[in-house]
Amino acid sequence: MAAPPPSVTPPRPRPVFRNIHVTDLARYRLPLPGIVSILHRISGALLFLFTWLLLWLLQASVTDAAQFRALYGNPLVKLIVFALLWSLLHHLCAGIRYLVMDVSHQAMELKAARQSSAIVMVVSLLLTIIIGVKLW
Amino acid sequence: MVRREATGAHYGLSDWLMQRITAVVIAAYLVLLLGVLLFTPGMDLAIWKALFSEQIFKLATFVALVSVFLHAWVGMRDIIMDYIRSTALRLALEAAVIVALLFYSGWAIQILWGQR
């Protein structure tokens, strides 16, 4: 004879997290280290996508000052350079943070990781403003 | 059975290491560049141009640029592997990145050592 079924309350339906879909992005709240991580990726991709513009500017700057001034005087170019400046500084700061995390277990602690991600955001934005004002 | 896709990650250690070595080279070059920009009195395009006629500065710039291109390869391949499922499309995009980076490498040599 079969044993009676154990009298337990049926389990509550639990939320299931799988790989998120693009449509989930709006209601998916990333913690600050996660934001730094995705911005590291986005800034790196931006720098790659606009490498041609940076090389073009470098070429003009060492060959033809007039061409450089014309190119750099274009407001759209200036705007992109400003965005790339932030990309570079964010990528650099976040990259240094990851290098520290490679060698330090302490930096991997939750509190330290949250603090350092805030530092990365603030320092890279401040440096962007300071250097950006100079470049303008 | 391990699937041996042409676009797979294989062993990642050398890429991981490559990413870090090139990162340090790039950061060192940025510090050098920042120092030059900050501590050269009356920095302008003419001085900038003269700086880029120094052989040692050309070489340092070339090493930094090649580091950037290798770094971009590892990073872009990671992004492509994460978001693109189809092997055919992955292969096409990876090939496009490789060709672009080879093109940039040649362009960098032209900029640094070409006719001024």
Side-chain angles (χ1 to χ4, degrees):
Chain A
M1 187 181 163
S7 61
V8 290
T9 52
R12 260 185 310 142
R14 295 169 64 87
V16 177
F17 293 104
R18 301 193 185 284
N19 285 348
I20 61 171
H21 190 258
V22 178
T23 48
D24 296 328
L25 285 179
R27 59 182 182 79
Y28 197 88
R29 205 179 130 267
L30 269 178
L32 198 54
I35 293 174
V36 166
S37 174
I38 192 65
L39 287 180
H40 192 236
R41 175 161 281 199
I42 292 170
S43 57
L46 271 179
L47 286 166
F48 170 74
L49 291 176
F50 284 101
T51 303
W52 58 273
L53 181 64
L54 295 175
L55 283 174
W56 193 13
L57 280 165
L58 177 64
Q59 183 173 43
S61 75
V62 297
T63 52
D64 186 351
Q67 194 204 356
F68 176 79
R69 289 200 187 89
L71 190 59
Y72 192 63
N74 183 317
L76 182 64
V77 170
K78 247 184 193 178
L79 200 68
I80 296 173
V81 167
F82 196 72
L84 293 180
L85 178 66
W86 170 81
S87 298
L88 176 66
L89 290 168
H90 181 90
H91 206 85
L92 177 69
C93 292
I96 291 170
R97 175 172 175 265
Y98 289 133
L99 287 180
V100 171
M101 286 178 143
D102 279 346
V103 294
S104 159
H105 287 296
Q106 250 180 327
M108 294 289 284
E109 296 290 334
L110 186 60
K111 194 161 173 250
R114 280 188 179 149
Q115 275 175 351
S116 59
S117 60
I119 292 171
V120 165
M121 294 294 287
V122 171
V123 169
S124 57
L125 281 173
L126 279 181
L127 282 176
T128 305
I129 293 169
I130 293 169
I131 300 177
V133 166
K134 277 217 135 191
L135 282 183
W136 210 268
Chain B
M1 164 104 183
V2 179
R3 290 178 66 215
R4 305 283 298 178
E5 296 281 1
T7 54
H10 311 292
Y11 290 99
L13 183 64
S14 56
D15 298 306
W16 182 90
L17 202 56
M18 172 74 85
Q19 205 64 339
R20 275 142 188 86
I21 294 170
T22 51
V24 170
V25 171
I26 298 162
Y29 180 79
L30 286 177
V31 170
L32 173 76
L33 200 61
L34 188 70
V36 166
L37 288 175
L38 282 181
F39 296 109
T40 308
M43 189 71 196
D44 61 6
L45 266 179
I47 298 177
W48 175 260
K49 204 172 156 178
L51 185 66
F52 274 91
S53 62
E54 300 278 351
Q55 231 16 267
I56 185 75
F57 198 75
K58 287 183 187 191
L59 272 173
T61 305
F62 186 67
V63 170
L65 282 176
V66 171
S67 296
V68 167
F69 300 152
L70 291 170
H71 194 90
W73 162 243
V74 177
M76 288 308 292
R77 206 198 54 169
D78 279 351
I79 291 178
I80 292 168
M81 278 196 295
D82 277 357
Y83 301 125
I84 309 293
R85 299 259 179 99
S86 139
T87 302
L89 188 55
R90 258 193 203 180
L91 200 55
L93 288 175
E94 288 185 5
V97 171
I98 290 173
V99 171
L101 291 174
L102 287 174
F103 175 83
Y104 291 154
S105 306
W107 193 9
I109 293 172
Q110 269 186 349
I111 291 172
L112 291 168
W113 285 284
Q115 289 282 322
R116 292 285 164 85

